[in-house]
Amino acid sequence: MGADIIDGKAFAERLRARVAEAVPAFAAAAGRPPGLAVVLVGEDPASQVYVRSKGKATRAAGMESFEHRLPDTVSEAELIALVEALNRDPRVDGILVQLPLPAAIDDKAVIAAIDPAKDVDGFHVANAGRLAVGEEALVPCTPLGCLMLLKDRLGDLSGLEAVVIGRSNIVGKPMAQLLLGENATVTIAHSRTRDLPAVVRRADIVVAAVGRPEMVKGDWLRPGAVVIDVGINRVDGKLVGDVDFAGACETASAITPVPGGVGPMTIAVLLRNTLVAGATRLGLPAPEGV
Ligand code: NAD
């Protein structure tokens, strides 16, 4: 009832606008707009929707979108050959291979083939390692978007207790590294954690990235906690998060809604990462305001 709603959709629109404002300076220096290549293998309907909206957002920001659609019969070697061609293509600043890949293809091998300097998803081990040791890295879009929302809400995160629920390489682990980099005290909870409610109750910041509808209850939260709900679950045709939104609103001081919270941040950060990756690779000044 009392919690403020963290408007990720509005924040993401502002970030996209700042990226679009920084594009002309990049284009003037590079002699071309920033370019993002997206590779889609197969016909997965959700992936098709993501790829379409990524292409649209890329063009809307004044950037070039290169879309590569391959049949699900493509071999791992053919897919890696395409990634290597994109690594060499000077017009391409960012490469994103949409996951999941068909079972016959080893996604680790495909991610390893991406030039880390163009790895705008931040999934390459070189980028994960740099993040872990506190060096400049391309960071996965969803957790970086969550961090932006948290810093916007809370300012300095230093000394705050943060509990990240979920330990995936895509969300949970990089989220924990980012929070650690901001000097929060970080706990990573997961499927084997004992007494999850008691762990969550310690937290000033809760990031839920589990994939279980409304698992985190309002009475698990410490009063005043800030809650970032990464979960996207479809229940009876409706999208719900990993947090019981109505219950959490009774205890939290602020919470991201689903939809309209973390979701829109992911594409906005992808555009930001593409611009930053291009500028870094070409030795241009860091883009302003992103
Ligand atoms: P994943 O399945 O890879 O990882 C889920 C994690 O949750 C695992 O580490 C597991 O240990 C943990 N977990 C499972 N059951 C648990 C339990 N009962 N208690 C505590 N922890 C438990 O998922 P993911 O890729 O990290 O995604 C998590 C959620 O975030 C999904 O709903 C996904 O759709 C969503 N997601 C959203 C975005 C976005 O907003 N753009 C991006 C990525 C993922």
Side-chain angles (χ1 to χ4, degrees):
M1 204 160 64
D4 294 338
I5 305 304
I6 298 175
D7 190 344
K9 190 160 176 269
F11 190 103
E13 274 164 21
R14 292 195 297 274
L15 176 57
R16 283 165 59 163
R18 291 199 301 278
V19 170
E21 278 165 26
V23 162
F26 177 99
R32 57 165 182 85
L36 172 65
V38 179
V39 180
L40 173 63
V41 181
E43 307 284 330
D44 179 61
S47 294
Q48 285 183 332
V49 172
Y50 292 141
V51 167
R52 245 198 319 275
S53 48
K54 283 168 186 168
K56 223 173 112 190
T58 306
R59 288 185 293 275
M63 302 172 35
E64 199 161 359
S65 169
F66 305 97
E67 286 175 36
H68 295 267
R69 291 164 191 274
L70 303 173
D72 58 9
T73 50
V74 74
S75 71
E76 189 176 302
E78 286 168 309
L79 179 55
I80 288 178
L82 170 61
V83 167
E84 286 169 347
L86 296 171
N87 286 342
R88 290 188 299 270
D89 188 335
R91 299 167 304 163
V92 172
D93 298 296
I95 301 170
L96 181 153
V97 178
Q98 185 67 47
L99 301 178
L101 291 170
I105 298 179
D106 176 8
D107 50 6
K108 282 201 202 75
V110 175
I111 291 167
I114 299 173
D115 177 351
K118 295 189 176 188
D119 169 39
V120 285
D121 253 341
F123 295 163
H124 194 288
V125 288
N127 281 312
R130 281 182 200 137
L131 175 63
V133 297
E135 281 176 24
E136 262 326 290
L138 286 166
V139 175
C141 302
T142 301
L144 184 54
C146 294
L147 184 73
M148 289 178 182
L149 294 178
L150 283 167
K151 286 175 76 170
D152 184 57
R153 172 78 198 181
L154 291 165
D156 185 9
L157 308 185
S158 192
L160 295 181
E161 288 277 348
V163 172
V164 178
I165 318 174
R167 57 174 161 185
S168 72
N169 291 332
I170 295 174
V171 189
K173 279 185 209 157
M175 186 74 244
Q177 297 287 5
L178 285 168
L179 288 163
L180 195 56
E182 297 295 325
N183 302 310
T185 302
V186 184
T187 303
I188 306 179
H190 48 78
S191 53
R192 307 284 176 89
T193 296
R194 274 186 284 132
D195 199 358
L196 186 59
V199 173
V200 170
R201 208 161 281 129
R202 295 207 294 263
D204 303 302
I205 294 169
V206 178
V207 181
V210 184
R212 289 179 179 254
E214 302 178 329
M215 183 187 82
V216 177
K217 304 300 177 199
D219 63 5
W220 294 15
L221 300 170
R222 173 180 187 158
V226 174
V227 180
I228 304 290
D229 190 350
V230 184
I232 301 178
N233 309 287
R234 194 170 285 281
V235 176
D236 301 330
K238 248 188 69 186
L239 289 187
V240 298
D242 289 343
V243 179
D244 169 17
F245 184 79
C249 281
E250 301 286 330
T251 359
S253 61
I255 181 167
T256 57
V258 178
V262 173
M265 291 298 292
T266 300
I267 290 185
V269 176
L270 174 66
L271 303 179
R272 179 254 173 218
N273 278 0
T274 302
L275 183 64
V276 169
T280 308
R281 202 177 91 261
L282 301 180
L284 304 177
E288 275 175 41
V290 301

